[in-house]
Every structure is written in structure tokens, then in C-alpha cells.
Amino acid sequence: MPVARTHELYHRLPTGLEPDEERRLATRTVARLRSAGCPLQCDPDFETEAREAHYLPLGAQVANLADDIRSATTSDEVADVLAEVTAAYDGILAGLSEVLTATADFHQDLGGPVDGPMAERLRDLAVHRLDVVAADLRETRTDLADRRQSHPRRSVCGGEVPPDEREASAACACPPPPPLPPPPAPATAARRR
């Protein structure tokens, strides 16, 4: 069952399970988490050498980078994630450029009436448009790396919830984040004469 707290999200077993079923589910969970490479401390009763196959689709792996940015507390952490996106030889955008170029080559060789223009369009995306995105993200990454600052509305939660607190109502002892600044005033439209 999912449990959401102020600074964390986790899952727990439902209440009322038979002890054998709890042990089976907990042992399988440990096996899955270890297969995914998650650092884990658990009761020795749930340790297992079993590992379940764990393959995260590529799109989900990229989406995990967005989760890393959402949970980042410093500009350095975001810069590190953007480095994975913008690395010149093995970054995500470089890989996407390779995919677009390979698809363009495939289309070019088909020889149909729309294949040449499609190949050119894909090459344009790979060379010109994707490059603009990469350049903007590299500039953002460099700016964030140079700042070396903590995010004013995010912090690492050090507060512990008392052991007798129910998950649904649990709240950490962290102070609330500072209020957001007021939005900028809307620009007034120029009057036409």
C-alpha cells in the first residue's frame, strides 16, 4: 500500500495478512529491490539470494531524471542530472541525435517519393533543432553548477515521525518552506491610437 508523507513516498504491506504471506511478500520485495540496485537494510528473516529480473524501459529511465530534479535540494544536483542529458558523446540528447540520423538514413534508402524529404526533415531535427535544445540545456547546467546554492524551498528532511504515529496522518518536524514571492504584475497592453 502506498504511503505519502511530506518528504517521502513508500509502500508497506496491508494489515491483517497471515504471517506466512507477510514473510513471502517481504522476501520477494527485498529480492526486487536488490535486483533494481536499491540500497537496502532489512530484517535478516527477509534476506534472500533470489533476484528478480528488473528492466526499466528507457523512457522510464529518462523520466527518473525528472524525478531526480524534482527532489534535488541544490543546484549542483540538478547540474549533475543535466550533464547526463547533455553529455556530448554519451548523453541522452546525443543518443537521440543518433536515433534521428539512423532513421533518416533508413528513410533515404527506401527510395519512395516521400522518403527523401522525410530523411531531410529528420536530419534537420538532429542537427539544427536538437542542437538548440542541447545548447540551452548546457548553458543552464553550467549556470546551476556555478551557483552552488541550495534551493530555498527544498530541504533534506531530518525529522523523524514517532513510532506510534499512523502513516496517513504522519508529518515531519521540518519547518514549512518560505512563502512564494508574489507573481509579477501583468503587463499593461499598449494602447492603439
Side-chain angles (χ1 to χ4, degrees), residues 44-177:
D45 291 344
F46 306 126
E47 281 294 351
T48 178
E49 294 300 317
R51 298 293 181 263
E52 294 192 17
H54 174 77
Y55 303 103
L56 202 56
L58 186 56
Q61 293 176 44
V62 173
N64 281 343
L65 296 177
D67 291 338
D68 291 345
I69 291 173
R70 286 184 190 100
S71 65
T73 58
T74 68
S75 60
D76 287 338
E77 291 172 4
V78 176
D80 289 344
V81 172
L82 291 179
E84 291 186 47
V85 176
T86 62
Y89 297 104
D90 62 351
I92 293 168
L93 293 177
L96 182 55
S97 178
E98 289 291 321
V99 168
L100 291 170
T101 301
T103 307
D105 293 344
F106 180 84
H107 268 282
Q108 189 70 47
D109 293 342
L110 290 176
V114 297
D115 296 327
M118 176 58 76
E120 287 306 311
R121 180 171 181 207
L122 291 168
R123 284 189 185 94
D124 179 62
L125 288 172
V127 174
H128 300 293
R129 299 187 188 194
L130 198 55
D131 192 46
V132 170
V133 172
D136 284 350
L137 284 176
R138 277 192 297 272
E139 184 178 329
T140 300
R141 189 208 72 78
T142 300
D143 176 62
L144 289 171
D146 289 345
R147 282 188 184 192
R148 298 185 180 279
Q149 79 180 68
S150 296
H151 192 283
R153 297 188 51 77
R154 297 180 185 180
S155 64
V156 177
C157 179
E160 291 292 324
V161 177
D164 60 338
E165 182 71 56
R166 292 190 48 87
E167 287 91 354
S169 63
C172 70
C174 294

